Amino acid sequence: MIKLIITGGTIDKHYNELNGELSFPETHIPGMLKQARCTAEIDVQQLMLKDSLEMTEDDCEQIKKSCLASDAQQVIITHGSDTMVDTAKYLAQTIQEKTIVLVGAMIPYSIKQSDAMFNLGSAIIAVQLLPAGIYITMNGKVFDWDKVLKDKQAGEFRASDV
């Protein structure tokens, strides 16, 4: 069983064609899993729908508690890319015995040419294959939480020099 915790981020944003704004009317994740014909056993929990720039330490604590409360050893967290590494660091301070993969998108699922479906699929595979630890998967790559950064100019994640 894989636990999939939804927290929001660009992956779940909806583009409002009338006013050009991005918002969170509801999550797209269950529909994405259905569209992908994913047969992995996944328990989906919507914890929140927030832009990662609005994430607080209390939000990170909720995410951590949800990870720890689950019997699943494999956990995927959908998350906004701007503070994904910060949340991964927060989780790594206390969780070592589970495989946790944080994933997001640079373009919302609801917009054509989105990377959301590919990234979610990558996370589902990665969480099943990786040993215990905290990881980030984006752009077809898997990174240790402490060896990655978001390159805002390139619009992608890359290995850090640390």
Side-chain angles (χ1 to χ4, degrees):
M1 168 73 75
I2 299 169
K3 178 75 170 189
L4 194 158
I5 301 169
I6 298 167
T7 69
T10 298
I11 194 168
D12 243 339
K13 285 187 176 177
H14 174 76
Y15 176 70
N16 183 327
E17 296 170 6
L18 298 177
N19 63 16
E21 292 180 3
L22 293 170
S23 63
F24 294 108
E26 61 187 2
T27 182
H28 299 289
I29 302 302
M32 291 170 68
L33 293 170
K34 185 176 180 182
Q35 179 184 345
R37 300 177 59 148
C38 180
T39 60
E41 192 174 342
I42 300 177
D43 175 34
V44 178
Q45 175 191 10
Q46 181 177 319
L47 196 59
M48 63 190 78
L49 287 174
K50 291 184 96 169
D51 186 291
S52 70
L53 292 174
E54 297 174 0
M55 285 276 196
T56 65
E57 190 168 330
D58 286 341
D59 295 328
C60 289
E61 185 65 20
Q62 278 187 11
I63 295 167
K64 180 182 85 174
K65 285 180 179 177
S66 183
C67 290
L68 292 171
S70 175
D71 290 336
Q73 292 301 303
Q74 301 167 333
V75 180
I76 297 170
I77 302 167
T78 63
H79 197 289
S81 62
D82 286 315
T83 62
M84 187 182 289
V85 175
D86 298 330
T87 298
K89 179 180 180 180
Y90 188 88
L91 297 174
Q93 293 171 1
T94 55
I95 303 175
Q96 287 86 36
E97 69 282 356
K98 295 187 182 222
T99 303
I100 299 176
V101 176
L102 287 86
V103 64
M106 303 305 264
I107 301 169
Y109 169 74
S110 63
I111 295 178
K112 218 175 182 183
Q113 305 299 323
S114 173
D115 56 334
M117 185 73 85
F118 178 76
N119 289 344
L120 181 60
S122 296
I124 292 168
I125 296 302
V127 80
Q128 295 177 76
L129 298 175
L130 293 167
I134 313 288
Y135 304 92
I136 290 173
T137 183
M138 293 282 287
N139 312 115
K141 296 180 181 177
V142 177
F143 304 95
D144 291 327
W145 74 267
D146 58 345
K147 295 178 177 74
V148 63
L149 57 81
K150 180 180 177 182
D151 183 336
K152 292 181 182 183
Q153 286 187 319
E156 64 185 30
F157 279 70
R158 65 175 177 80
S160 65
D161 298 330
V162 176

